[in-house]
């Protein structure tokens, strides 16, 4: 069954400004500016004001079930942009090793990670962070890395690059559990 028009809305907080031009969204907040284009999804984006509140409205015309799911997807992405420019995202990674201790060097003001002595190998693995993402060691926990940034995509992709650079090859992964794994995901501003 086709629905002629489906609508979903998202209320914008006061300390954030949102610009909508076509299917491109730009969000400005205390932590900076993020933007995202939704040109691959056939939805209509509007910025409206009701009762003194600014609202992002997403419309989908004559859609079936899979098309209607894209309404919530677009709003979830916009909500992640708003959360990123207000609170920021933080991922924590743990270094796991059984025999050979993995050494981490953080270079270029936290934008590059060098991984040494993984499974006793001489090869140095170099991982560059995505733009706007910084990495540093945790002071509280011994073998822990903290990756922070405003864009959830760039933070999670940087963590994935670090984790994928330390995959065990040609050995039994049930026995050799060495690697760098994501242990915690959350926001930088915890108190709110």
């Amino acid at each position: 069954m086709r629905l002629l028009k489906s609508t979903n809305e998202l209320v914008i907080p006061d300390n954030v400004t949102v610009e909508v031009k076509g299917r491109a969204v730009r969000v400005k907040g205390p932590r900076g500016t993020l933007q995202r284009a939704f040109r691959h999804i056939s939805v209509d984006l509007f910025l409206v004001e009701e009762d003194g509140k600014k609202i992002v409205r997403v419309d989908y015309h004559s859609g079936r079930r899979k098309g209607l799911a894209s309404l919530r997807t677009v709003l979830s992405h916009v909500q992640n942009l708003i959360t990123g420019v207000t609170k920021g995202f933080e991922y924590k990674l743990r270094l796991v090793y059984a025999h050979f201790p993995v050494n981490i060097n953080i270079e270029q003001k936290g934008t590059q990670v060098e991984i040494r002595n993984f499974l006793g190998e001489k090869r140095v693995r170099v991982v560059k962070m995505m733009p706007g993402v910084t990495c540093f060691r945790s002071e509280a926990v011994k073998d822990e890395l903290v990756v922070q940034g405003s864009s959830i995509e760039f933070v999670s992709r940087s963590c994935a690059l670090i984790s994928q650079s330390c995959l065990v090859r040609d050995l039994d992964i049930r026995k050799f559990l060495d690697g760098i794994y994501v242990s915690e995901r959350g926001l930088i501003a915890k108190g709110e």
Side-chain angles (χ1 to χ4, degrees):
M1 184 177 115
R2 287 181 185 266
L3 293 173
L4 288 179
K5 181 181 175 185
S6 299
T7 303
N8 214 337
E9 296 177 345
L10 177 69
V11 178
I12 301 168
D14 294 332
N15 59 347
V16 175
T17 60
V18 176
E19 299 172 16
V20 177
K21 185 175 181 183
R23 283 186 232 162
V25 177
R26 176 178 284 144
V27 180
K28 293 180 184 174
R31 291 182 51 87
T33 303
L34 291 175
Q35 58 189 7
R36 178 140 189 177
F38 299 102
R39 290 184 175 86
H40 61 286
I41 302 175
S42 59
V43 296
D44 295 330
L45 283 164
F46 302 105
L47 190 62
V48 296
E49 190 166 336
E50 291 179 1
D51 301 330
K53 295 181 181 178
K54 289 192 175 181
I55 294 173
V56 174
R57 178 175 289 149
V58 183
D59 292 344
Y60 194 93
H61 296 280
S62 66
R64 293 194 174 147
R65 184 175 178 179
K66 286 189 178 179
L68 294 176
S70 62
L71 282 174
R72 184 71 188 141
T73 301
V74 170
L75 284 183
S76 296
H77 285 307
V78 174
Q79 180 64 53
N80 282 338
L81 295 177
I82 292 171
T83 306
V85 298
T86 54
K87 299 176 183 176
F89 292 99
E90 176 181 85
Y91 279 43
K92 293 183 180 177
L93 298 108
R94 294 295 301 267
L95 280 64
V96 178
Y97 51 86
H99 186 270
F100 296 102
V102 178
N103 297 329
I104 295 285
N105 291 337
I106 298 170
E107 304 286 331
Q108 297 178 2
K109 299 178 184 174
T111 60
Q112 182 173 308
V113 176
E114 290 183 354
I115 302 163
R116 299 174 188 272
N117 202 30
F118 176 71
L119 290 177
E121 295 176 1
K122 296 294 183 189
R123 184 181 143 212
V124 178
R125 293 163 166 82
V126 178
V127 180
K128 292 185 178 177
M129 301 289 106
M130 301 299 290
V133 178
T134 57
C135 179
F136 59 91
R137 290 181 186 270
S138 173
E139 288 87 24
V141 184
K142 180 187 170 198
D143 289 324
E144 187 175 65
L145 287 176
V146 180
V147 180
Q148 290 182 344
S150 295
S151 173
I152 190 170
E153 287 187 41
F154 286 167
V155 172
S156 60
R157 197 185 307 172
S158 298
C159 291
L161 290 172
I162 292 172
S163 185
Q164 289 173 356
S165 69
C166 293
L167 293 178
V168 176
R169 304 200 186 276
D170 302 327
L171 297 170
D172 189 357
I173 59 172
R174 297 171 295 180
K175 172 72 176 170
F176 296 90
L177 299 173
D178 296 25
I180 302 174
Y181 300 102
V182 175
S183 63
E184 189 179 328
R185 293 184 289 238
L187 303 174
I188 296 174
K190 300 249 191 301
E192 299 170 16

